[in-house]
Amino acid sequence: MPFVRIDALQADGARLEALGRAVHEALMETIGIPPDDHFQVLVGHDGVTSTLRYGDYLGVHRDEGIVYVTITLRAGRTPRQKRALYRRIAELAERYAGTEPRNVFVTLTENAPIDWSLGDGLAQYAPPAGPEACEPPAFQPGGHRDGG
């Protein structure tokens, strides 16, 4: 279950929607997520009250068309799948939102099944735990420097 955040400079609702669609379709095509596994935060920055910084790092010239795509997902994808995902996001961002591939900056953060709660205060992907796993640790006075 990927969780996606997309930040784009000078992006209206239509462009953000197109970028979200591009990323979601790329995730379905390259790593096989289901269509209803669709969790995204789409943020437009106006360049005045909020903005994005970018540079020409590693010989890639970026400009005000910059789009940052941050994807958090469970570990286990191969380098080949990740490369295919990056390529497909750039292709579809250009097709749907007119974003030049050089302006598509993608990062993946992988984690473990226990790192997800999809609602109801449960760790749906983690193996079941005994009742003691739900109890908070016992308070021990003086256990922390700040007194708590």
Side-chain angles (χ1 to χ4, degrees):
M1 185 207 108
F3 178 75
V4 175
R5 179 178 169 121
I6 300 171
D7 289 86
L9 196 54
Q10 305 296 337
D12 61 10
R15 181 163 181 238
L16 289 171
E17 184 63 34
L19 290 166
R21 182 174 150 216
V23 172
H24 189 67
E25 285 185 20
L27 286 163
M28 289 189 303
E29 291 175 18
T30 61
I31 65 172
I33 68 162
D36 63 344
D37 192 348
H38 197 187
F39 300 90
Q40 299 181 335
V41 175
L42 309 173
V43 182
H45 299 269
D46 64 12
V48 178
T49 58
S50 68
T51 194
L52 301 175
R53 302 280 186 242
Y54 52 87
D56 289 350
Y57 186 65
L58 294 178
V60 179
H61 175 70
R62 295 165 194 85
D63 59 29
E64 64 279 350
I66 189 74
V67 174
Y68 290 113
V69 179
T70 306
I71 303 170
T72 303
L73 69 169
R74 290 183 291 157
R77 279 41 176 227
T78 66
R80 184 178 189 171
Q81 288 174 305
K82 292 175 186 180
R83 286 185 178 100
L85 175 63
Y86 305 147
R87 184 174 42 257
R88 193 64 177 145
I89 289 172
E91 290 168 355
L92 293 176
E94 183 174 35
R95 181 184 303 164
Y96 297 156
T99 302
E100 294 182 52
R102 66 185 172 84
N103 277 322
V104 179
F105 187 107
V106 180
T107 63
L108 293 181
T109 302
E110 296 180 311
N111 59 22
I114 191 61
D115 297 321
W116 294 89
S117 174
L118 309 179
D120 291 328
L122 302 174
Q124 286 87 347
Y125 290 138
E132 68 279 355
C134 294
E135 295 177 16
F139 175 74
Q140 297 194 8
H144 299 282
R145 285 187 215 169
D146 64 1

